[in-house]
């Protein structure tokens, strides 16, 4: 549950309302979109949870897709996922320092060194063991929930005196058309992104794959409830036009209700979320690289696991890549390059349930997809539509993703040959179940 709540709740919910307000300013339509997006993600989780339950192995989407489709599809998604996790951690470390500089302008010259220091600090936390990093993870999920509840309460009791009503009513949206509505739908679905995050830890929790499946469903339900509470109070108390185009829309909402400067609470909340996500990205990235390396598709040193349960070898390589990305500024390119592949990943996860039903019908399933196959068909059509829309709206990123997929094939063949010569890498120390 913490894996889902902690990963899903990020900067998206702080800024997505401002993006949506460019197109949607009818409160009923706005809430219907959030409810529909949450329902679609919940349905996807109810389907893919079956694949999680029969994949009792840590490694996230890599482990799931490799189980359903074999080595190469898993390799493509696994390496894409690992690089994207590293890129996201690097970007968030830089953005954290930029937000900190908004509150303390003297930090402006120290953005890059500060980002390196923050990122490295959380790498050191991983050396403290899985109990420490996992405790931070669970604590962060609870704090994220409390932040959303606190903002919701603030929205409930605000009086709208911060900005004159006539100023708010003079903001007119000019973004219309099917493309803009598509962007709104995609933005909401992406704000729910992270619903498969429990699969990164399946072999490390009591109950294995079934725990990951059930925990994912519960985590998504918690996030949907928090998002609907927050957005419901937002549209009741703040004109959506006030939020239009605001990069931290909830900060604009608090400024509107309580006066200029009240939105600094959202900046502080963003700092907390960004800091906690450093720990989250390390936990996810290291387990992806660990699983890849154990299968012979990564560094031979990455499977080294510390006595306290964390994959220290994979943490080291993840930290090194994050450090280089912060210094070189290459994280945006990596994120753009992998954008469409992530949409393909969600399509593959749904198809994987169909494939495993056909390939291994007698396999014991600790959790069975609800309403399948109808729910699977609905999810498949939905994710294909989103993937096609993302490709059409951002053709450049789609082209990068295609190039990455093409380049990955000879790299996979080379690694497979190396793997055949030396055999899959064995873990230096396998963490105990239940940690």
């Amino acid at each position: 549950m913490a894996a889902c709540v902690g990963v899903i709740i990020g900067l998206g919910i702080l800024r997505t309302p401002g993006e949506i307000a460019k197109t949607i300013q009818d409160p009923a339509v706005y809430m219907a979109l959030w409810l529909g997006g949450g329902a679609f993600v919940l349905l996807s989780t109810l389907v893919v949870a079956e694949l999680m339950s029969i994949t009792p192995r840590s490694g996230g989407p890599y482990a799931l897709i490799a189980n359903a489709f074999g080595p190469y599809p898993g390799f493509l998604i696994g390496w894409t996922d690992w690089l994207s996790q590293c890129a996201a951690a690097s970007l968030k470390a830089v953005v954290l320092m930029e937000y900190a500089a908004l509150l303390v302008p003297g930090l402006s010259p120290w953005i890059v060194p500060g980002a390196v220091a923050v990122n490295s600090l959380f790498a050191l936390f991983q050396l403290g063991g899985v109990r420490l990093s996992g405790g931070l993870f669970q604590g962060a999920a609870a704090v994220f929930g409390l932040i959303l509840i606190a903002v919701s309460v603030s929205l409930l009791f605000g009086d709208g005196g911060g900005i004159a009503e006539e100023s708010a009513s003079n903001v007119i949206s000019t973004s219309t058309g099917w493309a803009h509505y598509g962007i709104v739908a995609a933005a909401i679905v992406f704000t729910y992104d992270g619903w498969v995050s429990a699969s990164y830890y399946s072999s490390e929790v009591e109950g294995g794959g079934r725990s990951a499946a059930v925990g994912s469903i519960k985590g998504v339900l918690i996030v949907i409830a928090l998002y609907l509470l927050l957005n419901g109070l937002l549209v009741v108390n703040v004109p959506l036009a006030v939020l239009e185009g605001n990069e931290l829309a909830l900060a604009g909402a608090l400024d509107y209700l309580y006066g200029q400067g009240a939105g600094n609470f959202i900046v502080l909340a963003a700092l907390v979320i960004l800091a906690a996500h450093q720990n989250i990205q390390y936990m996810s990235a290291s387990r992806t690289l660990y699983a890849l390396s154990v299968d012979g598709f990564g560094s031979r040193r990455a499977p080294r696991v510390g006595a306290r349960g964390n994959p220290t070898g994979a943490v080291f390589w993840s930290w090194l890549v994050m450090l280089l990305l912060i210094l070189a500024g290459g994280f945006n390119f990596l994120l753009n390059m992998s954008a469409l592949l992530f949409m393909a990943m969600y399509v593959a996860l749904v198809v994987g349930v169909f494939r495993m039903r056909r390939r291994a019908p007698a396999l014991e399933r600790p959790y069975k997809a609800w309403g399948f196959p109808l729910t699977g068909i609905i999810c498949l059509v939905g994710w294909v539509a989103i993937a096609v829309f993302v490709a059409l709206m951002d053709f450049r990123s789609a082209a990068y993703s295609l190039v990455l997929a093409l380049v990955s094939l000879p790299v996979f063949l080379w690694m497979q040959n190396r793997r055949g010569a030396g055999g899959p890498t064995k873990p230096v120390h396998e963490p105990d179940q239940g940690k």
Side-chain angles (χ1 to χ4, degrees), residues 243-426:
L243 310 179
E244 183 178 346
N246 195 322
E247 287 196 3
L248 279 177
L250 294 185
L254 294 186
D255 283 340
Y256 169 77
L257 292 172
Y258 294 99
Q260 198 67 31
N264 284 341
F265 173 77
I266 299 299
V267 178
L268 289 171
L271 289 174
V272 172
I273 290 172
L274 287 165
H277 269 245
Q278 293 294 303
N279 179 59
I280 291 170
Q281 306 283 183
Y282 267 113
M283 292 188 71
S284 302
S286 62
R287 280 150 180 81
T288 301
L289 182 59
Y290 171 84
L292 279 161
S293 301
V294 166
D295 289 347
F297 298 120
S299 166
R300 294 192 181 278
R301 296 185 179 183
R304 183 176 297 277
V305 177
R308 296 181 179 179
N310 263 344
T312 52
V315 168
F316 169 77
W317 287 111
S318 300
W319 168 78
L320 185 59
V321 171
M322 292 175 192
L323 176 66
L324 294 174
L325 289 173
I326 291 173
L327 296 176
F331 35 75
N332 283 322
F333 174 73
L334 272 178
L335 290 171
N336 289 336
M337 187 167 61
S338 59
L340 188 60
L341 285 176
F342 271 101
M343 295 301 98
M345 177 187 78
Y346 291 130
V347 173
L349 289 172
V350 176
V351 175
V353 180
F354 284 95
R355 180 175 171 81
M356 294 301 289
R357 282 278 182 107
R358 184 172 183 178
R359 195 177 76 180
L363 183 67
E364 182 182 356
R365 287 163 168 79
Y367 173 88
K368 293 193 73 171
W370 174 81
F372 197 85
L374 178 59
T375 51
I377 294 170
I378 294 171
C379 293
L380 183 58
V381 171
W383 284 115
V384 168
I386 294 171
V388 170
F389 176 78
V390 169
L392 292 175
M393 291 296 100
D394 192 354
F395 185 77
R396 185 177 178 183
S397 293
Y400 286 152
S401 295
L402 181 60
V403 170
L404 179 61
L406 293 173
V407 170
S408 70
L409 182 56
V411 174
F412 168 76
L413 293 174
W414 173 76
M415 285 193 166
Q416 194 174 42
N417 287 334
R418 186 189 68 167
R419 177 192 183 201
T425 307
K426 298 298 182 184

Side-chain angles (χ1 to χ4, degrees), residues 105-245:
L107 294 175
S108 296
W110 304 96
I111 298 294
V112 172
V116 169
V118 169
N119 183 263
S120 299
L121 175 63
F122 281 93
L124 291 175
F125 283 154
Q126 305 305 306
L127 301 181
V130 71
R131 290 189 183 276
L132 173 60
S133 53
L136 290 173
F137 202 161
Q138 295 178 50
V143 170
F144 293 175
L146 291 174
I147 286 173
L148 294 193
I149 292 172
V151 175
S152 300
V153 171
S154 300
L155 293 172
L156 178 63
F157 291 104
D159 60 5
I163 297 176
E165 286 290 337
E166 57 270 21
S167 298
S169 62
N170 287 335
V171 183
I172 301 175
S173 176
T174 57
S175 299
T176 56
W178 71 269
H180 294 288
Y181 287 103
I183 291 171
V184 165
I188 290 175
V189 171
F190 293 156
T191 307
Y192 282 106
D193 189 39
W195 47 276
V196 296
S197 298
S199 62
Y200 287 103
Y201 315 102
S202 294
S203 69
E204 299 173 72
V205 294
E206 195 171 328
R210 188 180 188 282
S211 290
V214 175
S216 296
I217 296 167
K218 291 180 179 179
V220 169
L221 285 170
I222 290 171
V223 173
I224 291 173
L226 290 171
Y227 280 6
L228 292 180
L229 172 66
L230 177 65
N231 283 292
L233 292 171
L234 180 67
V235 298
V236 167
N237 293 283
V238 180
L240 288 173
V242 170
L243 310 179
E244 183 178 346

Side-chain angles (χ1 to χ4, degrees), residues 10-156:
L11 289 189
I13 189 59
L14 304 184
R15 60 192 306 169
T16 300
E19 293 298 315
I20 298 172
K22 293 179 182 178
T23 303
I24 305 295
Q25 294 184 4
D26 183 324
V29 175
Y30 178 90
M31 288 304 300
L33 286 169
W34 278 102
L35 181 59
F40 176 66
V41 169
L42 177 60
L43 194 65
S44 299
T45 309
L46 288 169
V47 171
V48 176
E50 179 174 312
L51 186 58
M52 293 186 202
S53 74
I54 58 175
T55 311
R57 182 187 182 196
S58 297
Y62 164 71
L64 299 177
I65 291 177
N67 185 27
F69 296 99
Y72 176 65
F75 169 82
L76 174 60
I77 293 301
W79 272 97
T80 300
D81 188 24
W82 180 64
L83 289 173
S84 297
Q85 293 278 358
C86 292
S90 303
L91 174 61
K92 289 173 183 178
V94 172
V95 173
L96 184 153
M97 290 303 301
E98 290 174 346
Y99 281 175
L102 293 177
L103 300 178
V104 184
L107 294 175
S108 296
W110 304 96
I111 298 294
V112 172
V116 169
V118 169
N119 183 263
S120 299
L121 175 63
F122 281 93
L124 291 175
F125 283 154
Q126 305 305 306
L127 301 181
V130 71
R131 290 189 183 276
L132 173 60
S133 53
L136 290 173
F137 202 161
Q138 295 178 50
V143 170
F144 293 175
L146 291 174
I147 286 173
L148 294 193
I149 292 172
V151 175
S152 300
V153 171
S154 300
L155 293 172
L156 178 63

